[in-house]
Amino acid sequence: MHFSIPDTTEASAETNSNQQSYTLFNIHVNGVHHCSLRYSQLHKFNEELQRLLPTAMANIEQFPPKKFFSLTARDTEERRILLEYYLQSIVQNKYIITSSYFNEFFFNAQIETFSNEPLGNHQKINLAICLLNNHEIIIENLSTNDNKSRLLDACGLKMQLEEDFLSFFSLYFYEQKDNELNMIRPIYDFESPYLSFKQTKKSCEQSCIVFKKSYWNPEFDLQFVDDRRARNLLFIQAQYEIEQSRDLYSSDVYQQLEILRDNKSFKDYILLARTSRFYGHIIIRKCSMLYPINDAKKEKLCQCVLAIGNKEVICCFDADEKKKKENLIFKVIRIRCWKVNWTKQDMNISLEYLIKQDTLQWITIHTEHAPSISTFLQSIVDEILAKKSETTNSTVESVTPKMTSEKTPLKTFVGLATRTESDLERLNNNDIFDRGDGDDDL
């Protein structure tokens, strides 16, 4: 996600029969207005984080200090820039942004900001949720102030989905255009889906909220295919992903899938779809990057399509002569770190990638979806770490059988774990990073 403070608003309030003016800093998330806060509110937010999470706050940008005199326009602009740097460093720390305090603060800030708008505070509404086949389900008697968790629960109840399955699904903003759905971004825990939906529609009128699976590891599919309702959801998403990637990958599997679809053999469809090259990938179009890599004399900015999934980022290029798709594959375990760069002229994500043993290189992909790509990469890493932790714990239990009866048994059906280390700690200490012992250099 990307936090920014592009501008400020001057406001006033009456206190003791006096009119007091103050500055509101307009905080945007991925380019959309999320909330407006005073300096004093953000100052209290910082103090509370320092108290609750002192270790995580050690490497955060310094919070701009208080000033004892009235601020000039120049002082306000300087404070705006420093607050933006501060918030951008905050959201780089996984431990902070998954804390209950962070989520509650920015959720309440959004509610307070839009409380005076029509249907802005504790109003009952019906909200349409889309599936990836454009089918809508209506969630009734939802409050405008309900959070993402409440809406997810309501979706699960409406679709009669097993409670244990729900942690494998999530909510996303999509754009509906020409009867197609294209992802805008995930919905975060610190926002009201309804209020963010209203704001998103201001910049993307044809946006909608989509319910779909949130995991990357295709092995999880096998735990759902024998449940009718979960299987139907997987079938809808598999069908969507096949159609999205059909122009990127030539295969005889498509004809077989059509036969299975027409015969309503949904389980067999899912199992066969899992063999497709881009199954489980999110497709992002209208991207560009310098290509070829490692040849500064020949490289030029080329249009590409990104496919993210299965622990990899695939860049598909149009070869000039053969008009075939050419793939460049970046393995997530060889990405040491990444950063989102957002300016008025450009938006991109830079990956520090191990292109060969002992050689790291920054690779920049230009796309308006850079903040979402960052979120996807983080969730892939979290899933890898969760699986590694589960494997390690299982090994420990098998080696020490005496402790088994005293320990809570490991669940074989688990949701996506939340990592509690900061990004910096993960980059320096993690052992999922491939340091180049293989021979698959770019």
Side-chain angles (χ1 to χ4, degrees), residues 266-294:
F266 296 159
K267 179 176 179 178
D268 291 334
Y269 184 101
I270 294 166
L271 296 177
L272 182 59
R274 293 172 74 248
T275 67
S276 174
R277 179 68 184 89
F278 292 100
Y279 177 80
H281 287 64
I282 290 176
I283 306 299
I284 300 177
R285 301 184 184 273
K286 297 182 180 178
C287 304
S288 61
M289 64 177 292
L290 289 174
Y291 182 80
I293 292 173
N294 287 336

PDB file of all heavy atoms in Angstrom, residues 266-294:
ATOM      1  N   PHE A 266     -17.128 -29.524 -12.496  1.00  0.00           N
ATOM      2  CA  PHE A 266     -16.377 -28.421 -11.904  1.00  0.00           C
ATOM      3  C   PHE A 266     -15.100 -28.885 -11.203  1.00  0.00           C
ATOM      4  O   PHE A 266     -14.059 -28.236 -11.285  1.00  0.00           O
ATOM      5  CB  PHE A 266     -17.257 -27.642 -10.930  1.00  0.00           C
ATOM      6  CG  PHE A 266     -18.420 -26.962 -11.580  1.00  0.00           C
ATOM      7  CD1 PHE A 266     -19.540 -26.574 -10.847  1.00  0.00           C
ATOM      8  CD2 PHE A 266     -18.419 -26.695 -12.943  1.00  0.00           C
ATOM      9  CE1 PHE A 266     -20.619 -25.950 -11.448  1.00  0.00           C
ATOM     10  CE2 PHE A 266     -19.490 -26.059 -13.562  1.00  0.00           C
ATOM     11  CZ  PHE A 266     -20.596 -25.693 -12.805  1.00  0.00           C
ATOM     12  N   LYS A 267     -15.169 -30.005 -10.508  1.00  0.00           N
ATOM     13  CA  LYS A 267     -13.977 -30.499  -9.811  1.00  0.00           C
ATOM     14  C   LYS A 267     -12.890 -30.859 -10.811  1.00  0.00           C
ATOM     15  O   LYS A 267     -11.719 -30.470 -10.643  1.00  0.00           O
ATOM     16  CB  LYS A 267     -14.313 -31.718  -8.948  1.00  0.00           C
ATOM     17  CG  LYS A 267     -13.113 -32.291  -8.208  1.00  0.00           C
ATOM     18  CD  LYS A 267     -13.505 -33.436  -7.279  1.00  0.00           C
ATOM     19  CE  LYS A 267     -12.289 -34.006  -6.562  1.00  0.00           C
ATOM     20  NZ  LYS A 267     -12.649 -35.091  -5.618  1.00  0.00           N
ATOM     21  N   ASP A 268     -13.243 -31.572 -11.865  1.00  0.00           N
ATOM     22  CA  ASP A 268     -12.254 -31.942 -12.884  1.00  0.00           C
ATOM     23  C   ASP A 268     -11.717 -30.698 -13.593  1.00  0.00           C
ATOM     24  O   ASP A 268     -10.547 -30.641 -13.964  1.00  0.00           O
ATOM     25  CB  ASP A 268     -12.875 -32.903 -13.900  1.00  0.00           C
ATOM     26  CG  ASP A 268     -13.177 -34.265 -13.291  1.00  0.00           C
ATOM     27  OD1 ASP A 268     -12.500 -34.632 -12.303  1.00  0.00           O
ATOM     28  OD2 ASP A 268     -14.085 -34.954 -13.788  1.00  0.00           O
ATOM     29  N   TYR A 269     -12.590 -29.706 -13.769  1.00  0.00           N
ATOM     30  CA  TYR A 269     -12.157 -28.444 -14.386  1.00  0.00           C
ATOM     31  C   TYR A 269     -11.063 -27.796 -13.539  1.00  0.00           C
ATOM     32  O   TYR A 269     -10.026 -27.373 -14.059  1.00  0.00           O
ATOM     33  CB  TYR A 269     -13.352 -27.504 -14.531  1.00  0.00           C
ATOM     34  CG  TYR A 269     -13.036 -26.203 -15.239  1.00  0.00           C
ATOM     35  CD1 TYR A 269     -13.371 -26.020 -16.569  1.00  0.00           C
ATOM     36  CD2 TYR A 269     -12.399 -25.151 -14.573  1.00  0.00           C
ATOM     37  CE1 TYR A 269     -13.079 -24.820 -17.229  1.00  0.00           C
ATOM     38  CE2 TYR A 269     -12.107 -23.959 -15.213  1.00  0.00           C
ATOM     39  CZ  TYR A 269     -12.450 -23.794 -16.539  1.00  0.00           C
ATOM     40  OH  TYR A 269     -12.142 -22.608 -17.184  1.00  0.00           O
ATOM     41  N   ILE A 270     -11.311 -27.720 -12.237  1.00  0.00           N
ATOM     42  CA  ILE A 270     -10.332 -27.084 -11.335  1.00  0.00           C
ATOM     43  C   ILE A 270      -9.006 -27.852 -11.361  1.00  0.00           C
ATOM     44  O   ILE A 270      -7.930 -27.251 -11.464  1.00  0.00           O
ATOM     45  CB  ILE A 270     -10.887 -27.021  -9.898  1.00  0.00           C
ATOM     46  CG1 ILE A 270     -12.091 -26.079  -9.846  1.00  0.00           C
ATOM     47  CG2 ILE A 270      -9.810 -26.564  -8.916  1.00  0.00           C
ATOM     48  CD1 ILE A 270     -12.906 -26.202  -8.565  1.00  0.00           C
ATOM     49  N   LEU A 271      -9.075 -29.174 -11.267  1.00  0.00           N
ATOM     50  CA  LEU A 271      -7.853 -29.984 -11.234  1.00  0.00           C
ATOM     51  C   LEU A 271      -7.066 -29.845 -12.525  1.00  0.00           C
ATOM     52  O   LEU A 271      -5.829 -29.801 -12.502  1.00  0.00           O
ATOM     53  CB  LEU A 271      -8.213 -31.456 -10.977  1.00  0.00           C
ATOM     54  CG  LEU A 271      -8.858 -31.749  -9.618  1.00  0.00           C
ATOM     55  CD1 LEU A 271      -9.233 -33.226  -9.510  1.00  0.00           C
ATOM     56  CD2 LEU A 271      -7.917 -31.352  -8.473  1.00  0.00           C
ATOM     57  N   LEU A 272      -7.757 -29.748 -13.665  1.00  0.00           N
ATOM     58  CA  LEU A 272      -7.054 -29.564 -14.934  1.00  0.00           C
ATOM     59  C   LEU A 272      -6.536 -28.134 -15.076  1.00  0.00           C
ATOM     60  O   LEU A 272      -5.420 -27.912 -15.556  1.00  0.00           O
ATOM     61  CB  LEU A 272      -7.981 -29.905 -16.108  1.00  0.00           C
ATOM     62  CG  LEU A 272      -7.361 -29.791 -17.514  1.00  0.00           C
ATOM     63  CD1 LEU A 272      -6.145 -30.712 -17.643  1.00  0.00           C
ATOM     64  CD2 LEU A 272      -8.396 -30.109 -18.587  1.00  0.00           C
ATOM     65  N   ALA A 273      -7.333 -27.167 -14.644  1.00  0.00           N
ATOM     66  CA  ALA A 273      -6.916 -25.760 -14.721  1.00  0.00           C
ATOM     67  C   ALA A 273      -5.630 -25.520 -13.935  1.00  0.00           C
ATOM     68  O   ALA A 273      -4.805 -24.678 -14.320  1.00  0.00           O
ATOM     69  CB  ALA A 273      -8.028 -24.858 -14.194  1.00  0.00           C
ATOM     70  N   ARG A 274      -5.439 -26.273 -12.855  1.00  0.00           N
ATOM     71  CA  ARG A 274      -4.236 -26.112 -12.030  1.00  0.00           C
ATOM     72  C   ARG A 274      -2.959 -26.457 -12.790  1.00  0.00           C
ATOM     73  O   ARG A 274      -1.871 -26.083 -12.371  1.00  0.00           O
ATOM     74  CB  ARG A 274      -4.337 -26.979 -10.767  1.00  0.00           C
ATOM     75  CG  ARG A 274      -5.425 -26.511  -9.807  1.00  0.00           C
ATOM     76  CD  ARG A 274      -5.657 -27.479  -8.660  1.00  0.00           C
ATOM     77  NE  ARG A 274      -4.575 -27.423  -7.693  1.00  0.00           N
ATOM     78  CZ  ARG A 274      -3.705 -28.397  -7.475  1.00  0.00           C
ATOM     79  NH1 ARG A 274      -3.777 -29.516  -8.179  1.00  0.00           N
ATOM     80  NH2 ARG A 274      -2.767 -28.263  -6.574  1.00  0.00           N
ATOM     81  N   THR A 275      -3.070 -27.154 -13.910  1.00  0.00           N
ATOM     82  CA  THR A 275      -1.894 -27.494 -14.718  1.00  0.00           C
ATOM     83  C   THR A 275      -1.553 -26.382 -15.711  1.00  0.00           C
ATOM     84  O   THR A 275      -0.507 -26.428 -16.359  1.00  0.00           O
ATOM     85  CB  THR A 275      -2.118 -28.803 -15.502  1.00  0.00           C
ATOM     86  OG1 THR A 275      -3.152 -28.599 -16.493  1.00  0.00           O
ATOM     87  CG2 THR A 275      -2.534 -29.929 -14.576  1.00  0.00           C
ATOM     88  N   SER A 276      -2.438 -25.397 -15.841  1.00  0.00           N
ATOM     89  CA  SER A 276      -2.197 -24.291 -16.755  1.00  0.00           C
ATOM     90  C   SER A 276      -1.072 -23.399 -16.233  1.00  0.00           C
ATOM     91  O   SER A 276      -0.935 -23.199 -15.025  1.00  0.00           O
ATOM     92  CB  SER A 276      -3.478 -23.473 -16.930  1.00  0.00           C
ATOM     93  OG  SER A 276      -3.239 -22.317 -17.702  1.00  0.00           O
ATOM     94  N   ARG A 277      -0.295 -22.836 -17.139  1.00  0.00           N
ATOM     95  CA  ARG A 277       0.905 -22.065 -16.760  1.00  0.00           C
ATOM     96  C   ARG A 277       0.581 -20.894 -15.840  1.00  0.00           C
ATOM     97  O   ARG A 277       1.337 -20.588 -14.926  1.00  0.00           O
ATOM     98  CB  ARG A 277       1.598 -21.528 -18.026  1.00  0.00           C
ATOM     99  CG  ARG A 277       2.843 -20.687 -17.746  1.00  0.00           C
ATOM    100  CD  ARG A 277       3.940 -21.563 -17.170  1.00  0.00           C
ATOM    101  NE  ARG A 277       5.128 -20.814 -16.797  1.00  0.00           N
ATOM    102  CZ  ARG A 277       5.328 -20.262 -15.615  1.00  0.00           C
ATOM    103  NH1 ARG A 277       4.388 -20.369 -14.672  1.00  0.00           N
ATOM    104  NH2 ARG A 277       6.438 -19.616 -15.341  1.00  0.00           N
ATOM    105  N   PHE A 278      -0.529 -20.207 -16.065  1.00  0.00           N
ATOM    106  CA  PHE A 278      -0.811 -18.994 -15.306  1.00  0.00           C
ATOM    107  C   PHE A 278      -1.945 -19.170 -14.305  1.00  0.00           C
ATOM    108  O   PHE A 278      -2.542 -18.186 -13.867  1.00  0.00           O
ATOM    109  CB  PHE A 278      -1.126 -17.843 -16.260  1.00  0.00           C
ATOM    110  CG  PHE A 278       0.069 -17.406 -17.078  1.00  0.00           C
ATOM    111  CD1 PHE A 278       0.215 -17.838 -18.386  1.00  0.00           C
ATOM    112  CD2 PHE A 278       1.038 -16.594 -16.540  1.00  0.00           C
ATOM    113  CE1 PHE A 278       1.310 -17.461 -19.142  1.00  0.00           C
ATOM    114  CE2 PHE A 278       2.142 -16.201 -17.278  1.00  0.00           C
ATOM    115  CZ  PHE A 278       2.276 -16.638 -18.588  1.00  0.00           C
ATOM    116  N   TYR A 279      -2.241 -20.408 -13.951  1.00  0.00           N
ATOM    117  CA  TYR A 279      -3.271 -20.635 -12.943  1.00  0.00           C
ATOM    118  C   TYR A 279      -2.820 -20.036 -11.603  1.00  0.00           C
ATOM    119  O   TYR A 279      -1.669 -20.181 -11.192  1.00  0.00           O
ATOM    120  CB  TYR A 279      -3.531 -22.131 -12.765  1.00  0.00           C
ATOM    121  CG  TYR A 279      -4.536 -22.428 -11.681  1.00  0.00           C
ATOM    122  CD1 TYR A 279      -5.893 -22.305 -11.926  1.00  0.00           C
ATOM    123  CD2 TYR A 279      -4.125 -22.803 -10.398  1.00  0.00           C
ATOM    124  CE1 TYR A 279      -6.832 -22.560 -10.940  1.00  0.00           C
ATOM    125  CE2 TYR A 279      -5.058 -23.058  -9.407  1.00  0.00           C
ATOM    126  CZ  TYR A 279      -6.407 -22.934  -9.679  1.00  0.00           C
ATOM    127  OH  TYR A 279      -7.323 -23.176  -8.690  1.00  0.00           O
ATOM    128  N   GLY A 280      -3.735 -19.364 -10.924  1.00  0.00           N
ATOM    129  CA  GLY A 280      -3.413 -18.767  -9.632  1.00  0.00           C
ATOM    130  C   GLY A 280      -2.636 -17.476  -9.723  1.00  0.00           C
ATOM    131  O   GLY A 280      -2.194 -16.939  -8.699  1.00  0.00           O
ATOM    132  N   HIS A 281      -2.460 -16.947 -10.934  1.00  0.00           N
ATOM    133  CA  HIS A 281      -1.729 -15.696 -11.120  1.00  0.00           C
ATOM    134  C   HIS A 281      -2.704 -14.527 -11.280  1.00  0.00           C
ATOM    135  O   HIS A 281      -3.784 -14.680 -11.861  1.00  0.00           O
ATOM    136  CB  HIS A 281      -0.842 -15.762 -12.363  1.00  0.00           C
ATOM    137  CG  HIS A 281       0.370 -16.630 -12.206  1.00  0.00           C
ATOM    138  ND1 HIS A 281       0.278 -17.990 -11.989  1.00  0.00           N
ATOM    139  CD2 HIS A 281       1.691 -16.331 -12.225  1.00  0.00           C
ATOM    140  CE1 HIS A 281       1.500 -18.501 -11.896  1.00  0.00           C
ATOM    141  NE2 HIS A 281       2.371 -17.516 -12.026  1.00  0.00           N
ATOM    142  N   ILE A 282      -2.303 -13.371 -10.779  1.00  0.00           N
ATOM    143  CA  ILE A 282      -3.029 -12.128 -11.033  1.00  0.00           C
ATOM    144  C   ILE A 282      -2.377 -11.463 -12.236  1.00  0.00           C
ATOM    145  O   ILE A 282      -1.145 -11.264 -12.260  1.00  0.00           O
ATOM    146  CB  ILE A 282      -2.989 -11.208  -9.805  1.00  0.00           C
ATOM    147  CG1 ILE A 282      -3.849 -11.799  -8.680  1.00  0.00           C
ATOM    148  CG2 ILE A 282      -3.474  -9.809 -10.146  1.00  0.00           C
ATOM    149  CD1 ILE A 282      -3.802 -11.030  -7.391  1.00  0.00           C
ATOM    150  N   ILE A 283      -3.170 -11.138 -13.234  1.00  0.00           N
ATOM    151  CA  ILE A 283      -2.658 -10.546 -14.473  1.00  0.00           C
ATOM    152  C   ILE A 283      -2.802  -9.027 -14.397  1.00  0.00           C
ATOM    153  O   ILE A 283      -3.886  -8.508 -14.132  1.00  0.00           O
ATOM    154  CB  ILE A 283      -3.419 -11.088 -15.701  1.00  0.00           C
ATOM    155  CG1 ILE A 283      -3.397 -12.623 -15.723  1.00  0.00           C
ATOM    156  CG2 ILE A 283      -2.826 -10.512 -16.980  1.00  0.00           C
ATOM    157  CD1 ILE A 283      -2.033 -13.240 -15.803  1.00  0.00           C
ATOM    158  N   ILE A 284      -1.701  -8.327 -14.636  1.00  0.00           N
ATOM    159  CA  ILE A 284      -1.696  -6.860 -14.627  1.00  0.00           C
ATOM    160  C   ILE A 284      -1.177  -6.378 -15.976  1.00  0.00           C
ATOM    161  O   ILE A 284      -0.027  -6.640 -16.338  1.00  0.00           O
ATOM    162  CB  ILE A 284      -0.831  -6.308 -13.480  1.00  0.00           C
ATOM    163  CG1 ILE A 284      -1.374  -6.790 -12.134  1.00  0.00           C
ATOM    164  CG2 ILE A 284      -0.792  -4.785 -13.526  1.00  0.00           C
ATOM    165  CD1 ILE A 284      -0.549  -6.358 -10.944  1.00  0.00           C
ATOM    166  N   ARG A 285      -2.011  -5.660 -16.693  1.00  0.00           N
ATOM    167  CA  ARG A 285      -1.659  -5.199 -18.030  1.00  0.00           C
ATOM    168  C   ARG A 285      -1.174  -3.747 -17.998  1.00  0.00           C
ATOM    169  O   ARG A 285      -1.179  -3.100 -16.964  1.00  0.00           O
ATOM    170  CB  ARG A 285      -2.846  -5.365 -18.986  1.00  0.00           C
ATOM    171  CG  ARG A 285      -3.289  -6.836 -19.082  1.00  0.00           C
ATOM    172  CD  ARG A 285      -4.396  -7.068 -20.074  1.00  0.00           C
ATOM    173  NE  ARG A 285      -4.811  -8.480 -20.035  1.00  0.00           N
ATOM    174  CZ  ARG A 285      -4.256  -9.454 -20.740  1.00  0.00           C
ATOM    175  NH1 ARG A 285      -3.254  -9.170 -21.573  1.00  0.00           N
ATOM    176  NH2 ARG A 285      -4.685 -10.696 -20.641  1.00  0.00           N
ATOM    177  N   LYS A 286      -0.715  -3.277 -19.151  1.00  0.00           N
ATOM    178  CA  LYS A 286      -0.229  -1.909 -19.307  1.00  0.00           C
ATOM    179  C   LYS A 286       0.925  -1.597 -18.356  1.00  0.00           C
ATOM    180  O   LYS A 286       0.926  -0.583 -17.652  1.00  0.00           O
ATOM    181  CB  LYS A 286      -1.372  -0.909 -19.116  1.00  0.00           C
ATOM    182  CG  LYS A 286      -2.481  -1.040 -20.149  1.00  0.00           C
ATOM    183  CD  LYS A 286      -3.567  -0.004 -19.938  1.00  0.00           C
ATOM    184  CE  LYS A 286      -4.673  -0.151 -20.976  1.00  0.00           C
ATOM    185  NZ  LYS A 286      -5.768   0.825 -20.766  1.00  0.00           N
ATOM    186  N   CYS A 287       1.907  -2.483 -18.338  1.00  0.00           N
ATOM    187  CA  CYS A 287       3.135  -2.261 -17.572  1.00  0.00           C
ATOM    188  C   CYS A 287       4.281  -2.018 -18.561  1.00  0.00           C
ATOM    189  O   CYS A 287       4.154  -2.283 -19.756  1.00  0.00           O
ATOM    190  CB  CYS A 287       3.469  -3.469 -16.705  1.00  0.00           C
ATOM    191  SG  CYS A 287       2.143  -3.954 -15.573  1.00  0.00           S
ATOM    192  N   SER A 288       5.393  -1.542 -18.052  1.00  0.00           N
ATOM    193  CA  SER A 288       6.575  -1.367 -18.901  1.00  0.00           C
ATOM    194  C   SER A 288       7.831  -1.490 -18.058  1.00  0.00           C
ATOM    195  O   SER A 288       7.813  -1.221 -16.857  1.00  0.00           O
ATOM    196  CB  SER A 288       6.545  -0.022 -19.623  1.00  0.00           C
ATOM    197  OG  SER A 288       6.538   1.045 -18.697  1.00  0.00           O
ATOM    198  N   MET A 289       8.928  -1.901 -18.703  1.00  0.00           N
ATOM    199  CA  MET A 289      10.222  -1.996 -18.032  1.00  0.00           C
ATOM    200  C   MET A 289      11.326  -1.979 -19.075  1.00  0.00           C
ATOM    201  O   MET A 289      11.083  -2.206 -20.273  1.00  0.00           O
ATOM    202  CB  MET A 289      10.308  -3.277 -17.197  1.00  0.00           C
ATOM    203  CG  MET A 289      10.254  -4.560 -17.984  1.00  0.00           C
ATOM    204  SD  MET A 289      10.437  -6.035 -16.944  1.00  0.00           S
ATOM    205  CE  MET A 289      12.152  -5.861 -16.435  1.00  0.00           C
ATOM    206  N   LEU A 290      12.539  -1.681 -18.620  1.00  0.00           N
ATOM    207  CA  LEU A 290      13.689  -1.695 -19.525  1.00  0.00           C
ATOM    208  C   LEU A 290      14.061  -3.131 -19.854  1.00  0.00           C
ATOM    209  O   LEU A 290      14.172  -3.978 -18.970  1.00  0.00           O
ATOM    210  CB  LEU A 290      14.877  -0.969 -18.884  1.00  0.00           C
ATOM    211  CG  LEU A 290      14.748   0.555 -18.755  1.00  0.00           C
ATOM    212  CD1 LEU A 290      15.930   1.122 -17.978  1.00  0.00           C
ATOM    213  CD2 LEU A 290      14.649   1.211 -20.118  1.00  0.00           C
ATOM    214  N   TYR A 291      14.241  -3.385 -21.152  1.00  0.00           N
ATOM    215  CA  TYR A 291      14.523  -4.743 -21.605  1.00  0.00           C
ATOM    216  C   TYR A 291      15.400  -4.677 -22.849  1.00  0.00           C
ATOM    217  O   TYR A 291      15.226  -3.785 -23.669  1.00  0.00           O
ATOM    218  CB  TYR A 291      13.199  -5.454 -21.918  1.00  0.00           C
ATOM    219  CG  TYR A 291      13.339  -6.900 -22.347  1.00  0.00           C
ATOM    220  CD1 TYR A 291      13.534  -7.897 -21.408  1.00  0.00           C
ATOM    221  CD2 TYR A 291      13.271  -7.236 -23.689  1.00  0.00           C
ATOM    222  CE1 TYR A 291      13.656  -9.217 -21.796  1.00  0.00           C
ATOM    223  CE2 TYR A 291      13.397  -8.553 -24.089  1.00  0.00           C
ATOM    224  CZ  TYR A 291      13.591  -9.545 -23.147  1.00  0.00           C
ATOM    225  OH  TYR A 291      13.724 -10.854 -23.531  1.00  0.00           O
ATOM    226  N   PRO A 292      16.387  -5.551 -23.060  1.00  0.00           N
ATOM    227  CA  PRO A 292      16.738  -6.681 -22.187  1.00  0.00           C
ATOM    228  C   PRO A 292      17.552  -6.253 -20.964  1.00  0.00           C
ATOM    229  O   PRO A 292      18.198  -5.208 -20.978  1.00  0.00           O
ATOM    230  CB  PRO A 292      17.583  -7.566 -23.106  1.00  0.00           C
ATOM    231  CG  PRO A 292      18.216  -6.598 -24.058  1.00  0.00           C
ATOM    232  CD  PRO A 292      17.196  -5.526 -24.293  1.00  0.00           C
ATOM    233  N   ILE A 293      17.525  -7.088 -19.939  1.00  0.00           N
ATOM    234  CA  ILE A 293      18.295  -6.847 -18.717  1.00  0.00           C
ATOM    235  C   ILE A 293      19.763  -7.182 -18.980  1.00  0.00           C
ATOM    236  O   ILE A 293      20.090  -8.074 -19.746  1.00  0.00           O
ATOM    237  CB  ILE A 293      17.728  -7.696 -17.567  1.00  0.00           C
ATOM    238  CG1 ILE A 293      16.331  -7.192 -17.201  1.00  0.00           C
ATOM    239  CG2 ILE A 293      18.624  -7.674 -16.340  1.00  0.00           C
ATOM    240  CD1 ILE A 293      15.612  -8.049 -16.201  1.00  0.00           C
ATOM    241  N   ASN A 294      20.645  -6.461 -18.325  1.00  0.00           N
ATOM    242  CA  ASN A 294      22.096  -6.704 -18.419  1.00  0.00           C
ATOM    243  C   ASN A 294      22.688  -6.312 -19.757  1.00  0.00           C
ATOM    244  O   ASN A 294      23.735  -6.818 -20.150  1.00  0.00           O
ATOM    245  CB  ASN A 294      22.443  -8.186 -18.154  1.00  0.00           C
ATOM    246  CG  ASN A 294      22.299  -8.556 -16.704  1.00  0.00           C
ATOM    247  OD1 ASN A 294      22.384  -7.691 -15.843  1.00  0.00           O
ATOM    248  ND2 ASN A 294      22.059  -9.816 -16.427  1.00  0.00           N
TER     249      ASN A 294
END
